[in-house]
Amino acid sequence: MGIGSPKKVLGIFVLAMLNVSVMASLRNLPLVAEYGLSAIFFFALVALLFLIPCALISAELATGWSKEGGVYLWVREAFGDKWGFFAVWVQWAHNLSWYPAILSFVATTLAYVFEPRLANNPLFILTVILSSFWGMTLLNYLGIRTSSLFSTFGVIGGTIIPGLFIIALGGYWMFSGQPIQIEISTKALIPDITGINQLVFLAGMFLAFAGLEVTAAHAKYVVNPQKNYPRAMLLSALITFFLFMLGSLAIAIVIPRSQISLVSGLMEAFSLFFNAYGFAYLLPLLALLLAIGAIAEVNSWIIGPVKALYASRSHGNLPPLLQKTNQHGTPTYLLLTQALIVSLAALVFLKMP
């Protein structure tokens, strides 16, 4: 069963990287790049209406209740135990179908590196999904310190470094006098948001920045949470915001909108981008780094909602079997149950075209 007081193993930097890994994903850059300079308007709107308020609220609640539980604990304190359990259940359950989807991206990206034809092989995709998810499940058995270090290195190597590289190339292109594929004007900054497509895109932008509250489930592992948690929140929000905004603009500057619309995925967009510079030989390395970044993103999501769900045990919301932990304080049976459900959901890839 559980052990005594947990060690404080999460500092500002590691906690910030956990938050970045939860939110930041370069997969969405080509889609955002289609909107050109007006993407800045959408980013500003999302930052003012969602990202900044969410960061401030999460930081305030996590420092006020610096215990294990996160969303469950906050909602329970406000509305009672039933609503608290409902909130954390929704947070956990909605990811179960997302894990196979994001890991299929990992599979097709790895296929781009080794053998592109494997991207259309359902058995290969299923193998990557299952081996990746079960591998990360076992990794999280080793405790939050090991899991957080894996996510930290993964998001730096697989998200931040490729993102900064793309931004640097876009900046070089712009200031070296090359033709720019977007209109640079005040008028181009303001999009037409009266159409349904723009509203759907805006909703997707809000979703892209969701997840800041997930790491609050680890609040009791944070060193000096009253000071470090708000600082980590601010740092991660800034990194994610500027990585998304500048990365999408870098692609929009180099690749014509029509070509972005015709591509079917992230690697195709980056292929156009790198070919413009003569860096095509770096594409396999970039694909490998992007796969690592996506795995780090999944790893951060795997344990956060499970920890929050586990916190509901003290109020009788979990059966005794699912309350068991190992010597690292990891709810092993909850993780195992999650892995079994995700494995069953992933079997749909065997029947998909």
Side-chain angles (χ1 to χ4, degrees):
M1 295 295 289
I3 56 177
S5 299
K7 293 182 180 179
K8 305 289 187 177
V9 296
L10 300 179
I12 294 176
F13 180 74
V14 173
L15 184 59
M17 291 300 101
L18 277 178
N19 282 321
V20 172
S21 67
V22 164
M23 293 186 296
S25 174
L26 301 183
R27 299 186 314 278
N28 298 321
L29 294 187
L31 175 63
V32 180
E34 289 188 38
Y35 287 82
L37 203 63
S38 64
I40 296 176
F41 173 85
F42 288 109
F43 278 114
L45 197 62
V46 171
L48 291 174
L49 298 182
F50 180 75
L51 183 60
I52 294 174
C54 185
L56 293 175
I57 292 170
S58 298
E60 178 67 21
L61 293 175
T63 54
W65 288 272
S66 55
K67 300 178 182 178
E68 184 179 56
V71 168
Y72 167 72
L73 188 62
W74 305 341
V75 178
R76 182 182 182 276
E77 289 290 329
F79 302 110
D81 184 65
K82 290 183 178 179
W83 283 111
F85 182 76
F86 175 76
V88 72
W89 172 265
V90 170
Q91 185 190 57
W92 173 74
H94 91 278
N95 282 316
L96 297 177
S97 60
W98 173 75
Y99 293 130
I102 178 62
L103 290 175
S104 69
F105 164 79
V106 172
T108 54
T109 303
L110 289 176
Y112 190 94
V113 177
F114 301 109
E115 175 53 65
R117 288 178 297 179
L118 289 175
N120 295 315
N121 187 319
L123 186 59
F124 171 77
I125 294 176
L126 179 64
T127 301
V128 173
I129 291 173
L130 295 181
S131 59
S132 299
F133 197 84
W134 279 96
M136 286 181 285
T137 296
L138 295 176
L139 176 69
N140 279 280
Y141 274 30
L142 301 178
I144 187 61
R145 178 177 176 83
T146 302
S147 175
S148 61
L149 287 177
F150 176 85
S151 292
T152 297
F153 286 113
V155 74
I156 292 174
T159 301
I160 294 178
I161 290 178
L164 291 177
F165 183 54
I166 292 165
I167 292 169
L169 290 176
Y172 177 78
W173 180 278
M174 185 173 183
F175 293 107
S176 61
Q178 300 290 340
I180 297 174
Q181 303 297 335
I182 59 174
E183 179 185 351
I184 306 294
S185 67
T186 305
K187 181 182 178 181
L189 278 171
I190 308 300
D192 177 13
I193 58 174
T194 58
I196 187 65
N197 290 338
Q198 285 73 24
L199 293 177
V200 171
F201 173 73
L202 183 60
M205 289 284 287
F206 279 97
L207 182 61
F209 286 97
L212 264 178
E213 76 287 349
V214 171
T215 57
H218 311 313
K220 71 176 184 178
Y221 298 98
V222 178
V223 179
N224 193 5
Q226 280 69 29
K227 289 185 178 180
N228 290 344
Y229 199 92
R231 293 171 181 172
M233 282 287 187
L234 176 61
L235 178 60
S236 60
L238 289 174
I239 291 174
T240 304
F241 179 78
F242 286 105
L243 200 64
F244 271 15
M245 184 174 69
L246 297 179
S248 60
L249 288 176
I251 293 177
I253 286 171
V254 177
I255 308 174
R257 179 177 180 178
S258 59
Q259 289 183 269
I260 297 175
S261 301
L262 292 174
V263 301
S264 60
L266 181 65
M267 288 310 303
E268 284 85 351
F270 285 162
S271 177
L272 291 172
F273 191 97
F274 278 16
N275 285 333
Y277 287 102
F279 288 152
Y281 62 91
L282 291 178
L283 282 172
L285 175 60
L286 175 67
L288 187 60
L289 290 177
L290 291 173
I292 292 172
I295 290 175
E297 180 185 1
V298 173
N299 185 68
S300 298
W301 276 98
I302 280 179
I303 191 61
V306 164
K307 280 282 189 179
L309 187 62
Y310 173 71
S312 70
R313 76 198 183 283
S314 57
H315 303 102
N317 293 317
L318 290 179
L321 180 65
L322 297 182
Q323 297 181 28
K324 293 184 178 181
T325 61
N326 62 11
Q327 66 270 28
H328 301 289
T330 301
T332 50
Y333 280 78
L334 265 179
L335 279 175
L336 178 62
T337 300
Q338 176 177 259
L340 289 172
I341 296 173
V342 170
S343 298
L344 290 174
L347 293 177
V348 71
F349 279 92
L350 291 177
K351 296 296 183 181
M352 290 180 65

